[in-house]
Amino acid sequence: QVQFVESGGGLVQPGGSLRLSCVTSGSIFRLNTMGWYRQAPGKQRELVAVIGSGGTTHYLDSVKGRFTISRDNAKNTVYLQMNSLKPEDTAVYYCNQLPTPGRWGQGTQVTVSS
């Protein structure tokens, strides 16, 4: 069964940066399209960034130019570099495969606040 372990979240001031990591096991990672999702309190989970097996990326409009998704197939890891963070980026961040998500991990909390 595919498993995802997210890390790297924390408390950061507006304008700050964080780098999230997600280690995947139980699948042929290099063949998978991977995505970062987030869920803020009282809101539905939304897809923030996607990276294909060939490295093609797509982003939610509100994070374009601020977030960068990348992957290291040798480490079965996908990353999310988040710069110029805003309070509205506060959420629990998850990674998963696309188009059919596997079992969700615990996520990592990102809080942007002064």
Side-chain angles (χ1 to χ4, degrees):
Q1 186 175 2
V2 180
Q3 291 186 322
F4 308 99
V5 180
E6 301 92 348
S7 63
L11 172 64
V12 63
Q13 292 187 343
S17 298
L18 285 172
R19 188 193 194 205
L20 307 184
S21 300
C22 171
V23 179
T24 301
S25 62
S27 72
I28 306 175
F29 177 80
R30 62 182 174 83
L31 300 181
N32 291 345
T33 295
M34 295 295 299
W36 280 98
Y37 299 76
R38 67 185 180 189
Q39 187 166 20
K43 295 186 177 181
Q44 290 193 339
R45 189 173 292 167
E46 62 180 354
L47 182 60
V48 174
V50 176
I51 185 165
S53 58
T56 302
T57 58
H58 300 278
Y59 297 93
L60 185 68
D61 283 347
S62 60
V63 308
K64 283 181 181 177
R66 300 189 298 121
F67 290 10
T68 302
I69 188 171
S70 61
R71 64 193 298 160
D72 185 336
N73 290 340
K75 296 181 179 179
N76 284 4
T77 302
V78 60
Y79 304 97
L80 187 68
Q81 177 67 44
M82 305 187 296
N83 299 327
S84 302
L85 282 161
K86 303 176 180 180
E88 52 263 42
D89 295 319
T90 295
V92 180
Y93 284 72
Y94 304 86
C95 72
N96 214 315
Q97 60 194 20
L98 286 83
T100 305
R103 182 177 179 178
W104 294 93
Q106 295 296 311
T108 186
Q109 175 71 49
V110 172
T111 303
V112 185
S113 174
S114 55

